[in-house]
Amino acid sequence: MAVLILFVAFSIYILGYNIAKENIMEKNDYSSFCGNYCGACEILCAYKNKTENDIAAQWGASPDEIKCHGCKSDIVFKNCNICKIRSCAMDKKIDHCVFCKEFPCKIFGSGESLVEKLPHLKSIPLNMKIISEKGLETWLKEQEKKWQCPVCGEPFTWYKEKCTVCGRELNQDKDFLNIASS
């Protein structure tokens, strides 16, 4: 009887954990402190869709390290965990850098060195401007639509070149590919 009670308790714990994980992923608005849209992140999407094995090697990580709930959560990819912008915003308790009295600052500009490797970062200044002018809710709706295939509606990530459902080329839909590096 005690074994049965332990089994039931453990099962409820595991089930509760999985439900909590799914709820966190569903509730996250996928905004980041810097103005990046986490909903188009390959790491977050692979974790959410359980395709960690497909992308781990290209990100220099093991499949177990491919996990993220978004920049503003407690579970972030190892590279995001060491982000100076994220740390600063959390320390200052601000939702977005654009609302900081020191914006733009030296820390915010420090990400420019990563643009060559991560060209999606080029859209951050524009994203911050839109968040500031239109508000977060409008920007998030725009981003969610922007990162869906215009033909079939399938979500795609920053570096996905073809829609996995309908095969449409996606690069023409990525504004960051048309922004010159500073």
Side-chain angles (χ1 to χ4, degrees):
M1 184 67 163
V3 171
L4 179 60
I5 291 171
L6 275 172
F7 174 75
V8 170
F10 181 72
S11 298
I12 290 170
Y13 169 77
I14 294 297
L15 180 61
Y17 170 78
N18 286 332
I19 289 170
K21 174 183 166 188
E22 296 305 314
N23 287 340
I24 289 168
M25 296 289 283
E26 289 172 15
K27 288 180 185 177
N28 192 333
D29 67 14
Y30 299 135
S31 70
S32 66
F33 298 106
C34 71
N36 223 349
Y37 179 64
C38 294
C41 173
E42 286 187 320
I43 304 292
L44 185 142
C45 292
Y47 182 63
K48 184 177 176 182
N49 298 324
K50 298 176 179 25
T51 57
E52 299 95 329
N53 290 332
D54 298 347
I55 68 159
Q58 75 189 41
W59 286 97
S62 71
D64 290 342
E65 293 174 307
I66 302 294
K67 58 176 84 174
C68 190
H69 289 180
C71 176
K72 293 182 179 177
S73 75
D74 291 335
I75 300 174
V76 294
F77 183 57
K78 64 182 180 178
N79 294 355
C80 299
N81 198 37
I82 60 170
C83 175
K84 292 176 185 174
I85 295 171
R86 180 176 182 267
S87 296
C88 178
M90 289 172 67
D91 289 346
K92 292 181 177 183
K93 297 180 181 8
I94 57 170
D95 286 334
H96 302 282
C97 294
V98 75
F99 300 123
C100 178
K101 63 184 177 194
E102 297 173 35
F103 179 80
C105 67
K106 191 175 184 177
I107 294 172
F108 188 79
S110 69
E112 290 178 14
S113 63
L114 297 172
V115 167
E116 192 173 317
K117 282 186 175 181
L118 304 169
H120 70 277
L121 298 177
K122 290 190 278 185
S123 62
I124 286 175
L126 176 61
N127 289 343
M128 285 302 220
K129 183 175 190 251
I130 294 169
I131 291 169
S132 176
E133 293 174 358
K134 295 182 177 180
L136 179 63
E137 195 171 314
T138 299
W139 177 77
L140 283 169
K141 286 178 184 172
E142 290 174 356
Q143 290 295 305
E144 187 175 351
K145 184 177 180 183
K146 175 181 177 174
W147 295 103
Q148 291 178 353
C149 175
V151 173
C152 70
E154 179 70 12
F156 63 92
T157 61
W158 299 316
Y159 302 115
K160 185 64 73 179
E161 293 180 358
K162 278 189 175 185
C163 178
T164 54
V165 172
C166 71
R168 182 182 186 274
E169 294 287 333
L170 298 169
N171 282 345
Q172 69 264 22
D173 302 309
K174 300 174 186 173
D175 61 356
F176 70 82
L177 294 176
N178 299 318
I179 298 171
S181 297
S182 11

